[in-house]
Every structure is written in C-alpha cells, then in structure tokens.
C-alpha cells in the first residue's frame, strides 16, 4: 500500500509539473505573437508616414494667357529680386501701372518734366532686362515717356557714359524680348541726343552685328541701324561701317 501511495504521489507530481511547463509554453507563445503583431503595426505606420501626399498642381487661370510671366505678389519668391524690382517695390519709381480695358498705361506721381534724369533714366534702362510683368512694361514705357519731355536732350547727354553699358547689357541678353526692348530704347535715345551718341556707338554695334545674322532679328536690326545713321549723321555712318562692313547706308 505504501508503494501504491508513492506511485500516486509521483503521478500527481509529474502531472502538475507537465501542466506548469505547458502553461509556460502557452504564455511565451502569446507574448511572441503580441510582439510580432506590434512589429507589423510599426512597419505599417512607418511606411504610411514615409510616403508623401500626392502634390496637387494648381490649374492655369484664364488671365495667365494675357500675362504669362506676371509676378505673383502673394507667392514665395524663387530668388532674390533684381535691383529694379526692389526699387520699384519700395516706391523708388515715381509712377505706377494703370490697367486699362484695351491697354495699360503709366500714371506718374508728378509731371515727368519735373523729375531729375539722374538716376531715374538709368534705373529705367536697367529695368529693360526684366522678364516679368509689370516690370517689363514700367521700364519700357517709363524710359520712352521720360525721353519725350522738354529738355530731355540736355538731361540725357551727360548720362550717356553710364547709360550705354546698361543698354549694352540688354542688347546682349539671351532673351529675345529683352533684346527688342533694348534696341527700341537705343533708337529712342539716339533720336533725342543725336550725334552725341556717336562716340559710344562702337560699344553697342558688336551685339547688333551678331543679331543681324539671325533671320528673326535681321529686319529689326537693319531698321535700327538706319535710324542710328539718320539721327547721328555722317559720322555715325563711319562708325557703323567700321563695325558692320556689310551695312548699306540709307544714302546709297
């Protein structure tokens, strides 16, 4: 009987031991499953945070067709503003753009004939290199209107040594529209100062010679050279011929 009791005690002990080890295995398996699920959740969250949201491009507005290079005053500037843009934004140009139903125009803060040409005329000439509206319009129209005032020749001639390099920068610009604005301004200046520009022509003709070889600008360049000869007289013809031997005089 004692042996039977011992056997029963051993069986009970072994059974309790087996149940405990089985419980430990079950608890470890459940913890491993929880850790695996947690890792999968972390991977899913990290993947969702890493993928950027789709970028929604703004749709073009109908007004963009009228002024395709118009500057957005509320947009973030992509680069530092030019000298002319900075002066214009601070009110350094005494005129503002007035939008009309047919065409735009300038409204001056005071009469243009009362304004000093130094440095206003040079600043407007620098603005000819701008490629965005309204700077393109303000610089082109402002330069032209300032040269139309009474006594413009006397005010502009002393500024020629500083004006010519600025106009040259517009004439050598890679943008065709900038070149055209510079060429128009040069002809306007020549019409005002006349032969006084002859001493500075040699600095401008090399860029005109290159553009004359282009089919797109050949007619415009030839017309401008003829007007430079007309306003500059016989001395201008000699200067033009020295830089552009193929030029045909208006007198021939």
């Amino acid at each position: 009987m004692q042996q039977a009791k011992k056997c029963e005690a051993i069986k009970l002990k072994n059974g309790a031991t087996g149940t405990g080890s089985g419980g430990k295995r079950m608890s470890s398996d459940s913890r491993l499953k929880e850790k695996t699920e947690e890792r999968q959740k972390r991977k899913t969250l990290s993947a969702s945070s890493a993928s950027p949201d789709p970028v929604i491009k703004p749709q073009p507005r109908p007004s963009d067709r009228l002024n395709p290079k118009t500057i957005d005053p509320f947009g973030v500037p992509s680069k530092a503003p030019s000298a002319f843009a900075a002066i214009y934004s601070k009110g350094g140009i005494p005129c503002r753009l007035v939008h009309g139903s047919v065409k735009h125009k300038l409204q001056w803060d005071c009469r243009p004939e009362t304004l000093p040409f130094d440095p206003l005329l040079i600043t407007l000439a620098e603005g000819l290199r701008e490629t965005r509206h309204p700077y393109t319009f303000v610089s082109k129209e402002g330069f032209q209107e300032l040269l139309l005032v009474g006594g413009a020749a006397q005010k502009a001639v002393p500024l020629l040594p500083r004006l010519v390099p600025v106009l040259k920068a517009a004439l050598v610009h890679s943008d065709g529209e900038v070149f055209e604005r510079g060429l128009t301004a040069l002809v306007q200046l020549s019409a005002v100062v006349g032969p006084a520009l002859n001493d500075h022509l040699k600095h401008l003709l090399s860029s005109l010679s290159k553009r004359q070889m282009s089919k797109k600008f050949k007619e415009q360049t030839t017309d401008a050279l003829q007007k430079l000869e007309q306003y500059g007289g016989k001395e201008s013809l000699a200067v033009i011929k020295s830089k552009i031997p193929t030029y045909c005089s208006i007198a021939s």
Side-chain angles (χ1 to χ4, degrees):
M1 289 182 69
Q2 290 179 353
Q3 290 180 353
K5 289 181 180 179
K6 287 181 181 180
C7 289
E8 290 179 1
I10 291 171
K11 288 180 180 180
L12 291 172
K13 185 176 181 181
N14 289 339
T17 306
T19 304
S21 61
K24 289 180 181 179
R25 284 196 299 269
M26 290 176 65
S27 62
S28 62
D29 290 342
S30 63
R31 285 197 298 269
L32 181 60
K33 185 178 180 181
E34 290 176 357
K35 289 182 179 180
T36 304
E37 291 177 353
E38 186 177 355
R39 288 176 183 173
Q40 290 179 350
K41 288 181 180 179
R42 289 179 180 176
K43 289 181 179 179
T44 304
L45 291 173
S46 62
S48 61
S49 61
S51 59
D53 296 333
V55 179
I56 301 175
K57 296 182 179 181
Q59 296 297 323
R61 298 169 298 179
S63 59
D64 293 340
R65 297 180 180 179
L66 299 176
N67 292 319
K69 298 181 181 180
T70 299
I71 184 173
D72 182 7
F74 302 103
V76 179
S78 58
K79 60 180 180 179
S82 62
F84 181 84
I87 294 173
Y88 181 78
S89 62
K90 293 178 181 178
I93 310 297
C95 63
R96 61 187 179 91
L97 175 63
V98 178
H99 293 273
S101 58
V102 179
K103 64 178 182 179
H104 305 324
K105 65 177 182 179
L106 290 182
Q107 181 173 334
W108 295 87
D109 298 339
C110 55
R111 293 183 301 170
E113 55 268 21
T114 62
L115 295 171
F117 275 32
D118 188 7
L120 182 56
L121 188 64
I122 298 174
T123 303
L124 291 170
E126 290 175 347
L128 296 173
R129 286 176 288 169
E130 295 289 337
T131 56
R132 293 181 296 177
H133 185 81
Y135 308 135
T136 53
F137 181 84
V138 173
S139 59
K140 178 183 177 180
E141 291 298 315
F143 188 87
Q144 178 182 1
E145 292 183 14
L146 204 59
L147 287 177
L148 292 177
V149 303
Q154 291 77 8
K155 296 179 181 180
V157 168
L159 301 178
L160 287 178
R162 295 158 59 192
L163 268 176
V164 169
V166 177
L167 291 177
K168 181 180 178 179
L171 293 174
V172 300
H173 202 280
S174 58
D175 192 302
E177 294 182 0
V178 173
F179 167 76
E180 290 175 345
R181 287 194 293 271
L183 189 64
T184 302
L186 175 60
V187 173
Q188 292 168 350
L189 181 64
S190 177
V192 173
V193 301
L197 187 63
N198 292 340
D199 294 336
H200 307 275
L201 272 183
K202 59 183 179 181
H203 303 293
L204 303 169
L205 293 175
S206 58
S207 57
L208 297 185
S209 176
K210 294 178 181 178
R211 296 284 185 172
Q212 198 177 29
M213 292 185 291
S214 171
K215 292 182 179 179
K216 182 179 180 180
F217 301 108
K218 183 176 182 180
E219 184 177 352
Q220 291 176 276
T221 306
T222 302
D223 183 63
L225 289 172
Q226 291 176 348
K227 290 181 178 178
L228 290 175
E229 179 190 354
Q230 177 185 349
Y231 299 137
K234 294 181 179 180
E235 293 180 1
S236 64
L237 176 60
V239 178
I240 295 173
K241 281 292 227 180
S242 65
K243 293 293 182 180
I244 308 177
T246 57
Y247 170 72
C248 296
S249 172
I250 55 177
S252 59

